[in-house]
Amino acid sequence: MTSIQKLAGHRFMQADYSIGRFAATVPAETTLEDVTHPEYFGNHLNSLRVGATISVLSDDHKLDCDLRVLSVTKTSAKVRVLRVFDEKAAPKVKDAEISAPVISHGGPVHKWRFIHNGEVIQHGFESKDAAERAAAKYIELLKGE
């Protein structure tokens, strides 16, 4: 029978406290090259530890990646890319059917408004046309257009 070397107890522990997990929301147009630069996280070096993971999401959602911290010095942090979301390789999901908003007059206080799924989304429009335009923009936002 072969002898199997077992993992030492001090190398197996709850990951939530031993490996830090961080989330970084970065400005739109930030690139993968930007966030992997050793000085990019320079303002947060006191928080980072070797082995930590950083989930990065840009404001425009074009950059979506996970990084592993490999080393931390007083002026920089070396990271490795664990995952990068690629729109072309992602599974295609059928576009959802969005229900149409309801445009109605809510009286002298609400004026013209639009309702979606039973919730008043926005009110106070002076005209029905203004409420319809706002509702169309809202539906475009839901569809991701």
Side-chain angles (χ1 to χ4, degrees), residues 56-115:
V56 178
L57 182 62
S58 64
D59 290 334
D60 60 1
H61 296 175
K62 291 185 180 175
L63 177 63
D64 182 354
C65 66
D66 291 332
L67 308 173
R68 170 86 62 206
V69 178
L70 300 177
S71 66
V72 180
T73 68
K74 291 184 182 219
T75 59
S76 65
K78 182 173 173 62
V79 296
R80 168 176 53 210
V81 177
L82 297 176
R83 177 196 63 82
V84 177
F85 177 75
D86 180 11
E87 188 74 41
K88 294 175 189 133
K92 300 298 176 210
V93 178
K94 182 181 169 189
D95 289 338
E97 289 293 323
I98 306 289
S99 59
V102 176
I103 311 298
S104 67
H105 194 271
V109 176
H110 265 213
K111 299 182 181 179
W112 284 98
R113 63 188 179 184
F114 72 93
I115 301 168

Side-chain angles (χ1 to χ4, degrees), residues 101 103 114 125 130-140:
I103 311 298
F114 72 93
F125 297 101
E132 287 174 345
R133 284 192 303 274
K137 285 182 183 178
Y138 179 77
I139 296 300
E140 285 177 15

